[in-house]
Amino acid sequence: MAKQVFGGNWTEDKLNRVRKYLGAYATIMNKYNFHYAYIDAFAGTGYREIKEIEYKDTLLFPEFSDLAVQKFLDGSARIALQVKPRFNKYIFIEKNESKASELNQLKIDFPQLADDIVIVNEEANEFLKNICLKDWTRHRAVLFLDPFGMDVKWNTVELIAQTKAIDLWYLFPIMGVNRLLKKDGNIEEGNQTKLNEIFGTTDWYDTFYQVRGEQNLFGFYSFTEKTVDGKSIGQYFIDRLKTIFEGVAENPLLLYNSCNSPLFLLCFAAANKKGAKTAIKIAQDILRK
């Protein structure tokens, strides 16, 4: 699992990785008779402003004040609109009404693509559930999941895999998960529910914690101890993706902030059996550079 620290030209480098994949994808798909789209599930305003209040229940930590993080989250929508050959459709999802309204600026800034830019003012999991259940026989897409917090539910990821048609880039919130994993294993019920939803199982607990025993002057006693760090949490999630996708990149990028704390894991998974081998090869090469 590769490591990258925020700072310097980090942000532009990562945005270029996204751009490279979208360019390679569009070049390949342009040769086939598919209607292919780019989907951004948490589009914000197009120019996203990070505010602590937006994830006070999930990711309330100061590391997100890092300007590099903000720029990375801002850039994906505009990069997709700049890619050539162009996509047939661009779908930007944002549940906040005022932010969704601001996304219309994209149609002004990219007038030649305006007719094919779709702004969706809905909760991302609900919209993705509906669109994933449609007939994907003649359709393909690249979907970018970059939630502020732990907003993406595993059953949504399962539906994405079941389309057999979507390539997924997922900025998985390592630090958000890690912050909920108390050292002694005493996790509040609400936070356990969040972890169950993001992983799609309760097995994470037995993987992340071990019961140990020690002897002291008063006899033998047992206690629960957390045994994972950001890297191993990321590997657990990659292994979960492998249970439902045709292919998953083996070298996801672990993204660190300037304090050397892991923030995200940039993951890639391919749902189409026929195209997975090529997609994984391209994505792994891009993640490796």
Side-chain angles (χ1 to χ4, degrees):
M1 192 177 295
K3 171 183 175 180
Q4 177 65 58
V5 179
F6 283 88
N9 293 323
W10 178 92
T11 305
E12 195 62 33
D13 176 40
K14 296 303 159 294
L15 292 173
N16 282 335
R17 292 180 195 237
V18 176
R19 187 194 309 272
K20 285 178 182 179
Y21 185 81
L22 294 180
Y25 178 91
T27 298
I28 292 172
M29 295 305 297
N30 198 41
K31 300 175 183 177
Y32 296 92
N33 189 28
F34 289 109
H35 191 275
Y36 56 99
Y38 172 80
I39 307 173
D40 191 326
F42 297 88
T45 62
Y47 289 112
R48 187 173 304 175
E49 295 179 2
I50 307 295
K51 298 178 181 178
E52 283 189 349
I53 193 67
E54 293 184 353
Y55 36 78
K56 65 181 180 180
D57 295 326
T58 52
L59 287 184
L60 186 56
F61 45 83
E63 288 83 352
F64 270 84
S65 64
D66 192 314
L67 293 177
V69 182
Q70 296 184 37
K71 186 176 178 183
F72 181 64
L73 293 174
D74 288 345
S76 58
R78 292 179 176 272
I79 277 183
L81 292 167
Q82 294 166 8
V83 165
K84 294 181 181 179
R86 53 156 293 174
F87 282 68
N88 299 131
K89 188 76 69 178
Y90 305 87
I91 302 173
F92 301 107
I93 310 165
E94 173 52 53
K95 71 176 181 179
N96 182 283
E97 186 174 356
S98 63
K99 291 181 179 180
S101 179
E102 289 185 56
L103 282 169
N104 286 297
Q105 181 65 37
L106 295 174
K107 296 184 178 183
I108 298 173
D109 294 345
F110 298 89
Q112 72 280 13
L113 303 175
D115 291 343
D116 297 311
I117 295 175
V118 179
I119 312 299
V120 179
N121 180 208
E122 292 184 31
E123 198 277 327
N125 288 281
E126 289 302 313
F127 179 80
L128 290 174
K129 177 168 47 176
N130 292 330
I131 199 172
C132 285
L133 292 175
K134 295 183 181 297
D135 183 2
W136 282 83
T137 306
R138 303 306 310 167
H139 294 264
R140 297 289 184 270
V142 177
L143 169 61
F144 192 49
L145 293 179
D146 58 340
F148 282 133
M150 295 169 62
D151 297 325
V152 180
K153 302 183 188 308
W154 181 257
N155 56 15
T156 299
V157 180
E158 284 185 310
L159 288 172
I160 293 166
Q162 289 168 13
T163 65
K164 303 298 181 182
I166 295 176
D167 285 0
L168 173 66
W169 285 95
Y170 187 175
L171 207 60
F172 184 74
I174 291 287
M175 182 167 283
V177 170
N178 206 17
R179 284 292 176 90
L180 299 186
L181 298 174
K182 301 302 182 183
K183 291 182 179 180
D184 62 0
N186 187 21
I187 304 172
E188 295 178 4
E189 183 177 351
N191 289 337
Q192 286 192 39
T193 298
K194 291 178 184 178
L195 291 164
N196 293 341
E197 288 178 343
I198 201 170
F199 287 122
T201 179
T202 59
D203 291 349
W204 56 267
Y205 192 92
D206 291 335
T207 303
F208 296 167
Y209 291 94
Q210 289 186 9
V211 177
R212 302 188 186 278
E214 289 187 3
Q215 187 80 28
N216 62 18
L217 293 175
F218 303 100
F220 182 85
Y221 72 99
S222 63
F223 59 95
T224 300
E225 184 178 59
K226 178 182 174 184
T227 58
V228 292
D229 56 13
K231 184 175 181 179
S232 49
I233 292 169
Q235 186 58 55
Y236 177 82
F237 185 69
I238 291 299
D239 290 340
R240 290 289 295 146
L241 290 177
K242 289 179 180 179
T243 66
I244 58 174
F245 280 91
E246 292 292 340
V248 178
E250 297 284 356
N251 58 335
L253 198 63
L254 194 54
L255 309 178
Y256 288 71
N257 67 2
S258 55
C259 298
N260 207 35
S261 299
L263 289 176
F264 298 109
L265 188 69
L266 183 59
C267 313
F268 177 81
N272 183 259
K273 185 174 183 178
K274 185 176 181 180
K277 184 177 180 180
T278 300
I280 295 301
K281 183 178 184 299
I282 294 170
Q284 287 187 161
D285 185 54
I286 290 172
L287 286 167
R288 192 177 296 116
K289 293 179 179 179

